[in-house]
Amino acid sequence: MALEKFPLGKMLIERGVITNEHLDAALRRQKEKGGLLGAILIELGFVTEEKIFLPVLAGQMGVDFISLKDMDIPPVVIAKVPAKCAMYYKIIPYDLKDDVLHIATTEPLDVAFLDEIQLVLNTKLSAHLSSEKDIAEHIRKYYGVGAETIEQMMGTVQAAEEVDNESILQEIDSEASIGKFINQIIIEAYREHATDVHIEPFEDELKVRYRIDGLLKDAKVPSNLKIFKEAINSRIKILSNLNIAEKRIPQDGRFKVRVKEVDIDLRVSFIPAIYGESVVLRLLNTSRLFQLKDLGLGDKELAILEDLILKPHGVVFLTGPTGSGKTTTLYSCLARVNTEDKKIITIEDPVEYQLKGIIQLQVNPRVGLTFAQGLRSCLRHDPDIMMVGEVRDLETAQIAIQSALTGHLIFSTLHTNDAIGGIARLMDMGVEPYLITSTVECFIAQRLVRVLCPQCKKPAKVSADMVSELGSSASLVQTVYEPLGCEACHHTGYSGRIPIYEFLLMTDDIRALIMKEASSVIIRDKALANGMKTLWDVGLEKVKAGITSLSEVVRVVKDEGAEKNVTM
């Protein structure tokens, strides 16, 4: 085919963006499936959207290309286009000169489209080409999540005030309005890979924040959102089967939504605060459950964990603070041993992920169903494996250990900072040393560290400050990578998290020291001599591999770092 028939392709080749082979492949795909040539080239990975738009496509269309990246748009310009209009037409205003409003759009040559917008806005327009992705991001940035929904509800409120009509005012609590806004918040959280949504009331605003990669980030929402605080809370309570009239005590519930063919369970918690109820929605995506090989373990640690979970009896404790990923690791272990010939029961507070083929109990202290009572009752159901969400007291610990002695495999968690601390925690509860040594197979400490964005991480030399953090480990690290920040990672420098682990296996040496009630320092020294890698050691391995940054490991592991021996 002659290139002259395909001016876009010809221009891309002339500018060195693609090759003749790339164009031929794209034309074949276009002939088979149809569609725009530019979209096909992007789909095949031959070009990026930016290269199509800047400047080739704009040149072909005879219009100006406008890059919205890093552009600071004045509020007076944004105010010229209502949120509902910007989102419906997928445009963003960026400048106002001589009574002409300059907008970015993906359809700068569609005369009917532009005439319609001019009629709606009642102003002269100058349309310029920009990428759909940049326009969508700037709409979220400047108008906020669900801005058009809030704008529509504000119109309903104003209409009600004008005619003093209570029935109109009640419409703002309808599924079509508040429900839509809540869906938009959840979809945005899912898109951002958030684990939690915080809806927090303050004196002069209602704040929405997402927890992304362990850190909270403010969500851009309309400034007048506070007006609809009670309606938002009521809608969430209805979805969660909670009492909408009760605002004085905490309430917990859950509901399910479907986002992009993925079922998301949302665990809901309300607590009363001085300016109203604070709400947290935890997003639980069962499709994110990991297999053991995906947990980020080294070959040696993976083999150890595989051996532990296939034992016929014993106790495996995971330790670490809240939010360190212990539950995810436990579920991964249960999924590995969940076969037809095994009876598995879990006792949790609360049940986070619902696993097919596993009996799951949720504790309810108000009716006497505690971890200890639930564990005692579950033993009568002939289980092979049990998972106890947390060992909090002596009674639960004793029943778990007795269960291991009678031939059951028990998984559970303890809130301690490291693996060695698990021993001290059990002994502080009153568990006898001989029971620990005869039943516990391993203590596993866990943390989550953020992963450097692969698109923008940059190599950096080990600075004097880094040497100070590394201490005796400095000689082992020559090159590190640091976060830079780009669009792909929302300018954080990180994308996703991985766990780091510390395994304390109960060897004969360690058991002997526990029987002597040796100090944690002596037990640690023996474990290190036996080859145990601390959280700090494993974190440094991730730093050396360019997976995470030194500052991130220091942030997560903190005081468990430079002073400890290194086994790398």
Side-chain angles (χ1 to χ4, degrees):
M1 296 182 180
L3 289 179
E4 287 75 17
K5 293 182 180 179
F6 302 92
L8 176 60
K10 180 177 180 180
M11 294 175 72
L12 290 169
I13 290 174
E14 288 177 349
R15 294 169 187 253
V17 177
I18 64 172
T19 65
N20 284 294
E21 291 76 13
H22 290 155
L23 180 59
D24 289 341
L27 293 176
R28 287 194 298 270
R29 175 68 68 87
Q30 186 182 44
K31 187 176 181 180
E32 294 171 2
K33 298 185 175 182
L36 298 175
L37 180 62
I40 293 171
L41 289 167
I42 294 171
E43 178 188 345
L44 294 174
F46 296 152
V47 295
T48 62
E49 191 176 37
E50 288 74 16
K51 285 185 178 179
I52 283 285
F53 282 134
L54 181 65
V56 181
L57 186 57
Q60 184 199 35
M61 298 173 72
V63 299
D64 293 332
F65 172 82
I66 183 70
S67 175
L68 296 173
K69 292 181 176 63
D70 302 322
M71 181 180 288
D72 189 15
I73 304 175
V76 66
V77 176
I78 292 294
K80 290 291 183 180
V81 179
K84 181 169 63 176
C85 180
M87 293 181 182
Y88 179 79
Y89 292 110
K90 294 181 173 58
I91 61 172
I92 188 79
Y94 67 88
D95 200 5
L96 180 64
K97 292 181 180 177
D98 300 325
D99 295 327
V100 176
L101 185 64
H102 294 257
I103 64 170
T105 177
T106 58
E107 303 289 344
L109 298 183
D110 190 331
V111 177
F113 172 74
L114 297 176
D115 285 346
E116 184 178 336
I117 298 174
Q118 283 191 140
L119 183 64
V120 170
L121 297 179
N122 193 27
T123 187
K124 294 181 180 179
L125 294 181
S126 178
H128 305 272
L129 183 66
S130 190
S131 76
E132 183 176 357
K133 177 183 175 184
D134 284 351
I135 292 172
E137 287 183 353
H138 276 65
I139 288 174
R140 284 194 296 269
K141 175 181 177 182
Y142 286 98
Y143 290 101
V145 182
E148 84 286 8
T149 305
I150 297 300
E151 193 173 83
Q152 180 181 359
M153 290 190 292
M154 282 299 299
T156 305
V157 171
Q158 291 167 359
E161 290 175 346
E162 289 175 4
V163 300
D164 193 24
N165 191 333
E166 185 177 350
S167 64
I168 295 178
L169 188 60
Q170 289 174 349
E171 291 180 12
I172 67 170
D173 194 23
S174 68
E175 184 176 352
S177 49
I178 288 296
K180 180 180 177 182
F181 174 75
I182 293 169
N183 287 342
Q184 289 168 326
I185 289 288
I186 294 170
I187 290 170
E188 178 74 3
Y190 175 81
R191 191 187 69 84
E192 296 276 359
H193 303 293
T195 56
D196 302 85
V197 179
H198 295 244
I199 304 175
E200 303 167 325
F202 294 97
E203 183 177 10
D204 55 353
E205 66 175 331
L206 184 66
K207 182 178 288 189
V208 177
R209 296 197 288 173
Y210 298 141
R211 187 172 294 280
I212 302 171
D213 294 339
L215 301 179
L216 283 172
K217 169 190 171 185
D218 283 349
K220 173 70 175 177
V221 293
S223 57
N224 52 7
L225 183 62
K226 189 176 187 295
I227 297 172
F228 306 100
K229 175 185 66 176
E230 295 300 332
I232 291 170
N233 288 351
S234 294
R235 185 63 193 165
I236 295 174
K237 286 180 179 179
I238 290 170
L239 291 171
S240 309
N241 293 316
L242 300 178
N243 184 355
I244 63 172
E246 182 57 75
K247 302 177 183 179
R248 301 163 300 171
I249 61 174
Q251 293 192 76
D252 296 316
R254 64 194 307 153
F255 65 95
K256 183 178 289 188
V257 297
R258 190 167 182 82
V259 179
K260 296 182 178 180
E261 306 304 318
V262 176
D263 288 326
I264 305 292
D265 280 325
L266 289 106
R267 199 177 80 203
V268 179
S269 180
F270 282 83
I271 58 171
I274 59 173
Y275 294 113
E277 291 177 291
S278 178
V279 192
V280 173
L281 309 176
R282 169 153 289 189
L283 281 69
L284 304 170
N285 181 0
T286 54
S287 67
R288 290 184 185 175
L289 289 178
F290 296 99
Q291 297 182 0
L292 290 184
K293 61 182 178 62
D294 300 323
L295 291 177
L297 292 159
D299 292 340
K300 180 180 177 182
E301 287 75 18
L302 180 59
I304 291 172
L305 187 56
E306 284 270 11
D307 181 62
L308 287 170
I309 65 176
L310 294 177
K311 287 182 176 294
H313 52 79
V315 186
V316 176
F317 281 111
L318 264 76
T319 75
T322 300
S324 59
K326 301 186 299 297
T327 301
T328 299
T329 299
L330 284 175
Y331 276 119
S332 300
C333 293
L334 292 179
R336 172 66 178 82
V337 296
N338 185 17
T339 57
E340 290 184 359
D341 61 337
K342 293 285 195 301
K343 171 85 169 188
I344 302 175
I345 302 178
T346 72
I347 308 159
E348 307 171 61
D349 184 20
V351 173
E352 294 201 0
Y353 297 98
Q354 297 173 8
L355 301 179
K356 187 176 181 180
I358 295 177
I359 303 298
Q360 296 174 271
L361 280 71
Q362 180 163 318
V363 301
N364 188 352
R366 286 180 293 182
V367 297
L369 182 56
T370 62
F371 279 116
Q373 181 59 45
L375 184 54
R376 187 181 293 110
S377 298
C378 288
L379 289 172
R380 304 188 189 104
H381 281 249
D382 188 29
D384 297 290
I385 300 168
M386 288 189 290
M387 191 265 275
V388 183
E390 182 184 349
V391 170
R392 299 174 178 173
D393 51 54
L394 176 60
E395 185 182 11
T396 306
Q398 287 177 331
I399 299 172
I401 287 172
Q402 290 295 332
S403 302
L405 287 172
T406 56
H408 300 89
L409 180 61
I410 309 294
F411 295 100
S412 191
T413 68
L414 289 167
H415 280 291
T416 64
N417 289 328
D418 57 9
I420 304 292
I423 300 171
R425 180 80 178 99
L426 290 177
M427 294 179 71
D428 286 344
M429 288 181 187
V431 180
E432 294 293 338
Y434 77 90
L435 289 175
I436 298 174
T437 58
S438 58
T439 58
V440 178
E441 297 292 339
C442 187
F443 291 94
I444 306 172
Q446 179 174 344
R447 296 289 190 282
L448 293 174
V449 295
R450 291 181 293 170
V451 175
L452 286 165
C453 174
Q455 298 190 31
C456 68
K457 67 179 182 181
K458 61 175 182 178
K461 293 183 179 179
V462 179
S463 64
D465 289 340
M466 292 180 184
V467 170
S468 175
E469 293 284 4
L470 289 167
S472 60
S473 314
S475 60
L476 299 172
V477 181
Q478 283 76 42
T479 303
V480 296
Y481 286 84
E482 290 293 301
L484 183 61
C486 66
E487 287 188 17
C489 61
H490 303 288
H491 301 283
T492 64
Y494 298 94
S495 180
R497 292 186 292 176
I498 60 169
I500 56 176
Y501 295 95
E502 174 180 291
F503 283 77
L504 174 63
L505 283 170
M506 300 296 284
T507 62
D508 291 339
D509 290 341
I510 299 298
R511 287 190 170 100
L513 290 174
I514 293 173
M515 289 299 295
K516 296 177 183 177
E517 299 188 26
S519 68
S520 296
V521 174
I522 294 174
I523 295 175
R524 174 178 293 280
D525 289 342
K526 175 56 69 174
L528 291 172
N530 289 344
M532 183 186 80
K533 291 182 179 180
T534 65
L535 290 167
W536 176 255
D537 299 338
V538 178
L540 284 189
E541 289 180 349
K542 304 299 184 187
V543 172
K544 288 182 66 177
I547 295 172
T548 190
S549 66
L550 178 60
S551 59
E552 176 67 5
V553 174
V554 171
R555 180 185 73 85
V556 172
V557 180
K558 294 183 179 177
D559 297 332
E560 300 172 45
E563 76 276 11
K564 294 183 174 56
N565 297 328
V566 178
T567 59
M568 292 169 56

